[in-house]
C-alpha cells in the first residue's frame, strides 16, 4: 500500500498549464542535504508524519473532478514504490492528467509508466554534473553523491534522462542550485550534459528546513548570478528559466 504523507489541494504552478493538486508520497532513496522534505525522507521524522488514507485521497479526487485537471505525484521519491503504476492507474481512471516528479533513480519503472501511458508530464531533478559517459571520473561521481547524500548509480540517472527525452511526453529537467554543492561551472556542465533538451529550470536554493541543518546557514546565490548562468546555457534548450 502506498503511503501518502501529504496533499496540497490546489496548485497553479506545479503542473505547467494545469490546475492541479499535489500528492506527497512517503520515502526517498536519496538524502540531498538541502532537501526541504525531511518529514517524507528521514525515517525518524516519517514516523511522526500523519498519513492520508488512500480512501480519503480518492474521495477527494472524485469530489474535485470538475475543478482539477491534473495530479502531481511527488515525494519523497515516488518511483521507490512498486505499487506506483496501480496507484496512477486509479488516478487516471478518474480522468486526471498526471505529472511525475522524480530523482531519476529508477529508469525501469519510469519506462514502464511512460510505455503504459500513465504519465503526461515528467519533471526530473538533476543533482550535479555526471561526468563523461565512457569515463565517469571519480571527481564527478563524487559530486553527484555529495549532492544526493548517497552513492548514486549514474548509469541509471543517464538512462532516465534518455528515456524522458525519447518519450514524446512533455518534460522538464531542473536543478536546485546550492552554494557549497554547485559552482557556476557545475551548472554549465550539467546543461551541456543534458542538452539538447526541451526545458531546463534553475531553482534557487532556500535556506529553510533542510535535512542537514548546516545548510540553513548557507546564503543562496543571487538571482543575478542565476540569470547570468541562464544566459550562458539558454542556447542548449527550448526553454531555460530561473525559478525562485
Ligand atoms: S530533494 Fe533529494 S532527499 Fe529530498 S525528496 Fe528529493 S531526492 Fe529525496
Amino acid at each position: 500500500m502506498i503511503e501518502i504523507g501529504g496533499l496540497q489541494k490546489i496548485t497553479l504552478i506545479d503542473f505547467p498549464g494545469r490546475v492541479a493538486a499535489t500528492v506527497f508520497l512517503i520515502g526517498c532513496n536519496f538524502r540531498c542535504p538541502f532537501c526541504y522534505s525531511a518529514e517524507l525522507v528521514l525515517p525518524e521524522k516519517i514516523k511522526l508524519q500523519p498519513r492520508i488514507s488512500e480512501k480519503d485521497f480518492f474521495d477527494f479526487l472524485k469530489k474535485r473532478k470538475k475543478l482539477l485537471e491534473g495530479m502531481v505525484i511527488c515525494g519523497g521519491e515516488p518511483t521507490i514504490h512498486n505499487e506506483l503504476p496501480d496507484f496512477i492507474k486509479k488516478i487516471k481512471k478518474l480522468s486526471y492528467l498526471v505529472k511525475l516528479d522524480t530523482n531519476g533513480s529508477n529508469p525501469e519503472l519510469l519506462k514502464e509508466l511512460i510505455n503504459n501511458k500513465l504519465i503526461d508530464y515528467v519533471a526530473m531533478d538533476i543533482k550535479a554534473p555526471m561526468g563523461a559517459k565512457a569515463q565517469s571520473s571519480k571527481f564527478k561521481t563524487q559530486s553527484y553523491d555529495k549532492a544526493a547524500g548517497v552513492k548514486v548509480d549514474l548509469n541509471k540517472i543517464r538512462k532516465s534522462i534518455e528515456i524522458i527525452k525519447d518519450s514524446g511526453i512533455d518534460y522538464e529537467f531542473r536543478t536546485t542550485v546550492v552554494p557549497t554543492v554547485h559552482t557556476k561551472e557545475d551548472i554549465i556542465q550539467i546543461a551541456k550534459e543534458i542538452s539538447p533538451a526541451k526545458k531546463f529550470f534553475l531553482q534557487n536554493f532556500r535556506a529553510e528546513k533542510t535535512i542537514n541543518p548546516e545548510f540553513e546557514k548557507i546564503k543562496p546565490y543571487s538571482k543575478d548570478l542565476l540569470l547570468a548562468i541562464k544566459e550562458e546555457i539558454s542556447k542548449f534548450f527550448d526553454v531555460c528559466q530561473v525559478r525562485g
Side-chain angles (χ1 to χ4, degrees):
M1 174 96 76
I2 277 207
E3 286 188 286
I4 300 171
L7 177 64
Q8 187 183 346
K9 292 185 171 171
I10 189 157
T11 168
L12 303 176
I13 53 174
D14 290 334
F15 195 151
R18 305 286 175 187
V19 181
T22 302
V23 61
F24 298 88
L25 304 185
I26 283 186
C28 187
N29 52 346
F30 283 11
R31 292 289 182 275
C32 312
F34 48 86
C35 175
Y36 316 121
S37 307
E39 69 284 0
L40 302 169
V41 173
L42 300 177
E44 64 274 19
K45 301 234 165 150
I46 284 175
K47 267 193 249 157
L48 307 173
Q49 180 67 4
R51 309 295 201 263
I52 296 167
S53 71
E54 269 202 35
K55 183 183 176 305
D56 286 352
F57 172 69
F58 283 105
D59 283 350
F60 165 80
L61 286 197
K62 280 175 205 154
K63 265 194 238 144
R64 292 296 173 97
K65 247 170 109 167
K66 287 209 179 99
L67 178 69
L68 300 173
E69 303 168 274
M71 176 58 55
V72 179
I73 302 182
C74 84
E77 172 51 39
T79 67
I80 63 169
H81 302 283
N82 292 332
E83 312 91 327
L84 189 63
D86 287 338
F87 182 67
I88 298 181
K89 268 180 211 159
K90 284 196 236 164
I91 296 174
K92 294 218 74 108
K93 241 190 187 158
L94 296 168
S95 305
Y96 283 89
L97 296 168
V98 170
K99 170 175 176 260
L100 176 74
D101 290 355
T102 181
N103 62 21
S105 59
N106 191 345
E108 297 81 14
L109 188 59
L110 184 60
K111 199 166 176 53
E112 181 187 333
L113 295 174
I114 290 170
N115 287 350
N116 291 319
K117 302 200 181 331
L118 291 175
I119 43 181
D120 304 282
Y121 191 109
V122 55
M124 176 176 161
D125 290 338
I126 310 290
K127 302 290 181 189
M130 290 160 277
K133 264 183 196 149
Q135 33 156 18
S136 71
S137 73
K138 203 168 165 223
F139 172 74
K140 291 301 179 197
T141 304
Q142 281 173 349
S143 80
Y144 216 97
D145 295 351
K146 183 180 165 197
V150 294
K151 187 138 197 49
V152 178
D153 182 346
L154 287 179
N155 285 328
K156 293 199 176 219
I157 302 295
R158 291 191 192 102
K159 221 172 179 180
S160 291
I161 293 170
E162 289 314 312
I163 289 168
I164 290 170
K165 288 210 273 186
D166 292 344
S167 66
I169 66 171
D170 205 1
Y171 69 86
E172 69 184 51
F173 298 116
R174 59 203 190 172
T175 295
T176 301
V177 186
V178 189
T180 74
V181 175
H182 306 108
T183 62
K184 177 182 175 191
E185 288 69 34
D186 285 331
I187 305 303
I188 293 170
Q189 180 65 21
I190 291 173
K192 287 180 181 163
E193 288 175 357
I194 62 174
S195 79
K198 252 189 209 173
K199 297 183 235 174
F200 183 43
F201 294 105
L202 301 180
Q203 305 182 147
N204 209 353
F205 165 68
R206 301 189 312 269
E208 56 190 52
K209 204 171 98 25
T210 49
I211 278 193
N212 179 341
E214 288 300 307
F215 277 66
E216 287 174 16
K217 298 177 197 150
I218 293 174
K219 191 170 174 280
Y221 284 129
S222 69
K223 185 150 187 188
D224 283 350
L225 178 72
L226 295 196
L227 289 170
I229 299 174
K230 184 204 93 169
E231 280 309 305
E232 262 185 68
I233 61 176
S234 285
K235 57 179 180 269
F236 298 124
F237 307 100
D238 298 342
V239 176
C240 182
Q241 283 170 10
V242 172
R243 275 182 185 151

